[in-house]
Structures are given as structure tokens and as C-alpha cells.
Amino acid sequence: MGIFNRKNETAADTGTAAAAAAAGAPAGPDLGALTGDYTIDPAHTTLGFVARHAMVTNVKGSFTDFTGSLHLDGADPAKSTASFDVQMESIETGNADRDGHLKSADFFKIDEFPTMTFRSTAAEALGDDSYRITGDLTILGTTKPISIDLEFNGSATDPFGNQRVGFEGSTSILRSEWGLTWNAALETGGVLVSDKIKLNFDVSAIKNA
């Protein structure tokens, strides 16, 4: 069952729920209670990416310094929003030389453009626990729309009393559309770094008090 929409109960559904309650089964989540404002928990959130290297393998990386917020609306998913600010200095791929190259003028030019941002412009429920959020991604001062398909992983109250929600999802972009055009030709044909980049998201957010 989705976080944003609850299906209308039929008489059979109602009877089944009553029977389950009588048998001591746990009640379903109060989806309306999830409506509210949330802060992204960076310690339990991953903003990752995958690029093809030399046409033969994948290089994975992530950003470790970012802030973000969500607004979830349990009655109307179109009113839900998301916002992220990512510090480009925090890019990590497991190789210091490669990270330095990505931060340089060949790629992200972090001295001139230290931040990457995402601001949602639309959200929709796709059915079950699947959703799509569309928004503006800004890199190197260039802003273009992207859509991200997400899966709602559920909600829980942690041992410290925080109400959490989780989502995971992905999308793909062409980096050249944001001015990330550096490359090198291979002797065997093709290029060193793929234009297509896959973005992966595994998000944990805490409901604001």
C-alpha cells in the first residue's frame, strides 16, 4: 500500500480487517500520520552515481556532504516536495587521483560551482509503493529537469523516538547536457568516460518535531 494513497475498503476488506483485529493481528499503518516535513539523515542516506569507464567496466561514486528536506502529503501526492543541496567537494570514488580530476576544471569546477542542487516541481503516485518525482537539477550553473522513480520502503520509529521514512530509486542523465563534456578517445574506438550516468538514491528522512 502506498504512502500517499489508500485504496477504498470494500465490505470484504472491512470484514477481513475486523477478523484480523479480533485475532490480534497488528493494524496497518496510519498513512495519514506520515504527512509532514522531514529532514534527510545524511548518516543513513546514499546519493550515488555510476559511470562507464573505458567502455568495459563501471566506476561507482557518491557524495558524502549534503542536506535535504521532504514534505510528504498523505492525501495528495502532488503536494509532496523534495529538496537537496550537495557539496561537490565531497565526491568520492575510492581513488584520490580520480576524485581530484572530477573536482577540477575538466569536470565539476568546484571552485566556481561548489554546490549541486535539486528542487522538485511535481510528484505523482504510480501505484502500490511506487512514485515519481520530477524536478530541476542544477550542475555547473545549468538547470535541467529530471524525473526519478522511487520505491517507498516503509516507515518506522527508531530507538531514539525518531519517526523515519525510507525511499530508494534511480534515474539516468546525459552529463553533456549539463556541460560535463570532458573525454578522451580510446585507440580501440569509443571514449574513456560514458556520457550516460546512472544516479542512485537510498534515502532515510526523519520527521520534524
Side-chain angles (χ1 to χ4, degrees), residues 30-41:
D30 179 4
L31 299 181
L34 298 181
T35 295
D37 296 318
Y38 292 76
T39 298
I40 300 300
D41 176 9

Side-chain angles (χ1 to χ4, degrees), residues 10-209:
T10 65
D13 294 333
T14 303
T16 301
D30 179 4
L31 299 181
L34 298 181
T35 295
D37 296 318
Y38 292 76
T39 298
I40 300 300
D41 176 9
H44 299 95
T45 294
T46 301
L47 304 182
F49 60 89
V50 181
R52 198 77 168 162
H53 179 262
M55 311 292 290
V56 298
T57 191
N58 291 322
V59 170
K60 299 179 180 179
S62 63
F63 299 94
T64 61
D65 185 3
F66 52 85
T67 58
S69 61
L70 305 176
H71 174 76
L72 303 182
D73 192 306
D76 184 357
K79 294 180 180 178
S80 297
T81 61
S83 175
F84 280 86
D85 292 84
V86 180
Q87 301 305 312
M88 303 308 289
E89 173 68 31
S90 71
I91 193 169
E92 290 188 359
T93 66
N95 181 284
D97 289 341
R98 180 168 55 223
D99 294 347
H101 190 199
L102 289 171
K103 296 174 188 180
S104 75
D106 283 343
F107 284 95
F108 289 114
K109 306 177 184 178
I110 66 168
D111 290 337
E112 185 178 357
F113 302 100
T115 307
M116 173 174 63
T117 64
F118 175 80
R119 301 288 185 266
S120 67
T121 56
E124 60 180 314
L126 302 179
D128 295 327
D129 290 330
S130 297
Y131 302 89
R132 177 172 296 142
I133 190 159
T134 299
D136 292 328
L137 178 65
T138 300
I139 306 173
L140 296 180
T142 297
T143 301
K144 289 186 174 293
I146 64 170
S147 292
I148 305 166
D149 286 344
L150 298 166
E151 191 78 12
F152 175 55
N153 287 338
S155 64
T157 300
D158 68 24
F160 307 101
N162 299 310
Q163 184 176 9
R164 292 178 176 269
V165 294
F167 294 86
E168 62 179 308
S170 64
T171 192
S172 294
I173 65 171
L174 298 178
R175 62 187 179 93
S176 59
E177 294 185 353
W178 281 265
L180 293 162
T181 57
W182 185 92
N183 228 320
L186 302 176
E187 291 183 5
T188 53
V191 292
L192 185 64
V193 184
S194 63
D195 190 19
K196 182 179 179 180
I197 307 295
K198 183 177 181 181
L199 307 179
N200 299 312
F201 309 92
D202 202 340
V203 176
S204 179
I206 298 173
K207 193 172 188 180
N208 297 346

